[in-house]
Amino acid sequence: MFKKSSVLAQSLLMATIILLSFSSRISNNTKIFSDPVTIETGLVSGVKSETSNVISYKGIPFAASPVGNLRWKAPQPAIPWQGVKKCETFGASPMQAKPVPFIVYTPEFLIPEKPISEDCLYLNVWTSASKGEKKPVFVWIYGGGFTSGGTAVPIYDGEAMAKKGIIFVSINYRVGVFGFLAHPDLSREASYNSSGNYGLLDQIAALQWIKKNIAVFGGDPDNVTIDGQSAGSMSVNCLIASPVAKGLFNKGIAESGSFFIMKSKTLKEAEKQGLNLASAVHAESLEDLRKVPADQLMKFPAQYGPIVDGYVLPHSVPEIFAEGKENNVPVIIGWNADESFINGFKNKDSFQKEAKEKYGKDADEFLKYFPAHTEEEAARSQVILSRNMIFALSGYEWAGIESSRGKSPVYVYYFARKLPATAEFVKYGAFHTGEVAYVMDNLKFLNRPWETIDFQLAELISNYWINFISNSNPNSKDLPDWPVYNTKTYQAMLFNKHSGKQTLPDIDGLEFMSSHQDK
């Protein structure tokens, strides 16, 4: 009997140890929620980080779900809720095609496969602030050509930047046909007599939400910086131009994109596109159009994006800036060395011939800045030309206008670090979007053969950003001097293995293109 009791006791002891061990593992994976805070629509709690003092609040509704009768309407106030909303996961990404890796863009650059929905107007907050603090606020606006993107992209995580002493906010906005469709009946329906630009109105609604609510997260509603990349950068350009966004931010950062050399559709042109879509889906009324399934609407390819609607953008962006009617704020503007999209290269003879046909007597000067003596040289010139036409020239024009005004400082950067890579990815160098993981100090989210210099560069760039977000100036005593940009010295900050100020690379080629834009 004694032996049986002893064996039973030992078995119970072992079972208890196993159970405790299992319980411990369960608890280690359990999210620890913060105490609730009160925003205008109810109570929210966030998740405490396991490795820092940062609390993340993911999936906070900043507007009502834009579905049903709210499809293609300006964002409406979020619906209040009862109890505590546990903000532990991202809201759905905006309605768009399923994300598929392409070119150099691995899954770390893309939204998750699920969820994707028209019900997408959510934002996320990362904060390490104590009660009563007023930390500077950083608002991230994603890219994606105004047809894709979302806040749940891995490299957009906000914890690393929040650890550096700011409040990090990322915001969703509608894209594609859901974010930018215009139609005469939609214009008649709206109180502001216009349509389209719902994606921009979503961004503005998120900024209004921040103005009203960010203080409870320890943020300063009067110290808000907007930053975007690609279409997000173009959005920043639009928000700085828009009278509707006045007073919602006091600094802007534009990474690769603006509307300074891109012609925007007028409201009439965009409404015509909307009529064509309605006809294609056999919708005879707005009621019919709003009932068309989302996937059916996406079957009809069209170019969607911000338009000159007479409300969000009363005139084109260049016209607004030419009249000095933009929101006057300090800005950082920049682009990357190798961001181009070319489907096949011309050989050197074809490239030279095309230059002579286009520029005539100025062709020799063009070929001086974009040489094509060898096939390799011609290919590189085409990369630079593509980069300039799509990204660099628009930033160059914007920086020049800001500098000539002298109202607020403008700082220009040139990101030239060729991201470490293997196999075919090596050829992409300092590609479009490549700087984002450095800006956010998020290299850990990218599967790359990083070198020590990359972590040092991410620390450097993110610290410049933190300084600018905090004080409207990227400089501090412990960082290399980043001068205010002007059109006499063209001094910019070069980010590479060896970073520092220098004359803006390829300035002569940019100036040539600027003076020949009509050709």
Side-chain angles (χ1 to χ4, degrees), residues 435-510:
E435 87 290 353
V436 173
Y438 292 83
V439 164
M440 298 188 179
D441 203 8
N442 273 343
L443 299 188
K444 67 181 181 180
F445 289 101
L446 266 180
N447 183 20
R448 291 266 174 165
W450 299 118
E451 301 170 14
T452 300
I453 185 60
D454 293 293
F455 294 100
Q456 294 171 343
L457 185 57
E459 180 75 6
L460 176 72
I461 297 176
S462 61
N463 284 343
Y464 275 127
W465 257 239
I466 292 293
N467 290 340
F468 183 79
I469 293 162
S470 302
N471 308 308
S472 304
N473 186 332
N475 292 290
S476 60
K477 291 185 299 182
D478 56 335
L479 298 179
D481 178 52
W482 184 347
V484 174
Y485 180 83
N486 65 67
T487 52
K488 293 181 179 179
T489 64
Y490 300 102
Q491 290 283 287
M493 177 58 66
L494 172 72
F495 291 126
N496 206 339
K497 284 186 176 181
H498 303 287
S499 300
K501 61 182 178 182
Q502 69 168 61
T503 302
L504 189 62
D506 307 316
I507 182 64
D508 292 332
L510 284 166

Side-chain angles (χ1 to χ4, degrees), residues 323-355:
E323 296 171 2
K325 293 183 178 180
E326 77 277 9
N327 298 305
N328 178 29
V329 297
V331 291
I332 289 176
I333 299 169
W335 53 90
N336 299 355
D338 304 312
E339 50 187 351
S340 64
F341 297 97
I342 299 177
N343 292 320
F345 291 95
K346 300 179 180 72
N347 63 37
K348 65 182 181 66
D349 293 333
S350 296
F351 183 71
Q352 291 176 7
K353 181 181 177 182
E354 187 177 277

Side-chain angles (χ1 to χ4, degrees), residues 37-44 60-61 81 209 213-214 216-217:
V37 296
T38 304
I39 59 175
E40 60 183 342
T41 44
L43 292 167
V44 295
I60 303 176
W81 56 82
W209 183 97
N213 294 283
I214 205 63
V216 303
F217 300 95

Side-chain angles (χ1 to χ4, degrees), residues 28-55:
N28 287 339
N29 292 325
T30 300
K31 294 175 181 177
I32 301 175
F33 287 90
S34 67
D35 293 333
V37 296
T38 304
I39 59 175
E40 60 183 342
T41 44
L43 292 167
V44 295
S45 62
V47 177
K48 295 182 177 181
S49 169
E50 296 179 359
T51 58
S52 73
N53 63 339
V54 172
I55 298 171

